[in-house]
Amino acid sequence: MRRSRGFEAIRGHAHLFERPGDEPPSFWTEALGDPPEVYRERIQHVGERAVRRWDPGRSKLGAGLAKGWSEPLPVDGERWLYLGAGTGTTPSHVADLVGPTGRVYALERSVRPFARLRQLAGRYPNLLPILADARRPMEYCGLVPPVDGVYADVAQPDQVAIALDNARLFLRGSGSFLLALKTASMGRDREPRQHLAAAVEQLEGIELERPIDLAPYHRRHYLMGGRPTRALFREPAAAPSRRPTDPAPRARRRS
Ligand SMILES: C[S@@+](CC[C@H](N)C(=O)[O-])C[C@H]1O[C@@H](n2cnc3c(N)ncnc32)[C@H](O)[C@@H]1O
C-alpha cells in the first residue's frame, strides 16, 4: 500500500483508499464529480485530491468492502454496465473507481430515481444514465458496448437471471461480475442461505469468490461475484427474463 497523508491507496486501485486505524475499516474513493458530495457522505481533502467516504450503510458494494470483499472490483479505465442504478449512490463510487477514462453505463427503469441520476451525470462525465428495463437488453444494446464489468443491484425475484442475461450479452470474456443479492426479493418461503445456495447454483457460468453476507449493513443481502467462464456464454436452455423474440445473445456477441 502507498501512504498518502493518513490514507492508504489500495494496491491495484488508483482511486480507492483506506484510512488505517478506522474500526470498522473505512473506504474512500477519489472524487471525480464536481462538487464532490453526492449523498451527504463525508469528504476529506488529501493535498489536491478530494476523497469521499463510501458509506457501507448506503451502498451494498461499500458494505462488501467493509466486510472484506476485495476482488473483483471496478478499476481505473474500465467500462462497467450497472443494472439498477437508483439515484446514483453506488454508481458515483463506481464512477470514481473507473476514473476519467472509464465509463459507467448506469441503467435505471424508474423515472423518479432516473431524474436524479441524470442530474448526477451532469457532474460525472464518465457516468452515462440509461432509462431502460434490465430485462430487455435488446432495447439498449445499441447504447452499451462490450464492458469489463457487470454489476447488478435490481432487487427482483429473477435478479440472478437478469444479471446473467446482461453478462452474456455485454461482458468481455475476461471481465468481472458482481451481484448484490437481495434474498428478500426471492420470497420469504426460504431462508436467506437457501436462496444464496440457489443463486450459487444458477451462477455456474461464473467462477465465484466466496459470497459476503452484508449484515448488519444490509440484512438478508449478499455480495457475490467473480469471473466468467466459457460456460456463461453457452446458450442456456431457458432464460426466463429474455423475451422469446429477442435474438440469441451468443449470436450478437459474434457480430
Ligand atoms: C436497491 S435500488 C438500487 C440502489 C443503487 N444500486 C445504489 O446502490 O445506489 C434498486 C434499483 O433497481 C431498479 N430496478 C428494479 N428492477 C429493474 C429493472 N428490471 N431494470 C432496471 N432497473 C431496475 C429500481 O428501480 C431501483 O432503483
Side-chain angles (χ1 to χ4, degrees), residues 75-121:
V75 296
D76 189 50
E78 285 189 338
R79 293 197 291 230
W80 276 71
L81 172 60
Y82 191 121
L83 308 171
T87 57
T89 301
T90 304
S92 67
H93 287 291
V94 174
D96 286 344
L97 292 182
V98 301
T101 61
R103 293 282 175 277
V104 180
Y105 299 88
L107 204 85
E108 174 53 52
R109 76 163 182 191
S110 299
V111 174
R112 268 202 191 170
F114 185 77
R116 287 183 57 194
L117 187 66
R118 258 181 50 173
Q119 276 181 358
L120 179 69

Side-chain angles (χ1 to χ4, degrees), residues 211-250:
I212 300 272
D213 183 341
L214 299 181
Y217 302 109
H218 306 271
R219 295 181 57 193
R220 296 174 158 255
H221 286 77
Y222 294 89
L223 184 67
M224 308 178 75
R227 311 272 177 202
T229 68
R230 285 184 177 198
L232 175 71
F233 302 110
R234 280 187 216 120
E235 182 64 16
S241 69
R242 190 177 310 122
R243 295 174 306 161
T245 49
D246 284 340
R250 200 165 169 216

Side-chain angles (χ1 to χ4, degrees), residues 58-61 82-91 107-110 113 132-135 151 153-156 162 182 221:
R58 298 285 303 275
S59 165
K60 282 151 232 159
L61 190 50
Y82 191 121
L83 308 171
T87 57
T89 301
T90 304
L107 204 85
E108 174 53 52
R109 76 163 182 191
S110 299
D133 186 336
R135 289 195 182 95
Y151 177 61
D153 180 17
V154 289
Q156 293 288 344
I162 290 174
K182 181 172 181 175
H221 286 77

Side-chain angles (χ1 to χ4, degrees), residues 79 81 103 105 140-148 169-172 252:
R79 293 197 291 230
L81 172 60
R103 293 282 175 277
Y105 299 88
Y140 50 87
C141 65
L143 301 173
V144 180
V147 292
D148 304 296
L169 198 52
F170 297 107
L171 189 58
R172 291 182 201 277
R252 198 190 113 66

Side-chain angles (χ1 to χ4, degrees), residues 3-174:
R3 280 197 172 278
S4 172
R5 290 200 207 161
F7 289 86
E8 285 183 349
I10 293 184
R11 191 187 298 277
H13 295 277
H15 311 290
L16 181 60
F17 297 82
E18 195 176 1
R19 198 167 55 181
D22 281 1
E23 197 50 50
S26 74
F27 291 88
W28 304 68
T29 58
E30 182 179 358
L32 182 76
D34 179 33
E37 186 187 297
V38 174
Y39 57 100
R40 298 192 179 173
E41 71 279 21
R42 285 182 59 194
I43 308 284
Q44 297 263 309
H45 291 274
V46 186
E48 300 284 288
R49 298 163 155 180
V51 289
R52 306 166 50 226
R53 179 158 184 268
W54 200 336
D55 184 343
R58 298 285 303 275
S59 165
K60 282 151 232 159
L61 190 50
L65 280 171
K67 292 206 63 188
W69 182 266
S70 58
E71 299 289 343
L73 283 174
V75 296
D76 189 50
E78 285 189 338
R79 293 197 291 230
W80 276 71
L81 172 60
Y82 191 121
L83 308 171
T87 57
T89 301
T90 304
S92 67
H93 287 291
V94 174
D96 286 344
L97 292 182
V98 301
T101 61
R103 293 282 175 277
V104 180
Y105 299 88
L107 204 85
E108 174 53 52
R109 76 163 182 191
S110 299
V111 174
R112 268 202 191 170
F114 185 77
R116 287 183 57 194
L117 187 66
R118 258 181 50 173
Q119 276 181 358
L120 179 69
R123 294 162 41 191
Y124 267 88
N126 66 349
L127 194 151
L128 295 111
I130 300 172
L131 181 63
D133 186 336
R135 289 195 182 95
R136 301 181 170 201
M138 285 304 158
E139 293 181 5
Y140 50 87
C141 65
L143 301 173
V144 180
V147 292
D148 304 296
V150 169
Y151 177 61
D153 180 17
V154 289
Q156 293 288 344
D158 55 342
Q159 56 200 299
V160 181
I162 290 174
L164 282 173
D165 279 354
N166 279 270
R168 275 188 204 102
L169 198 52
F170 297 107
L171 189 58
R172 291 182 201 277
S174 57

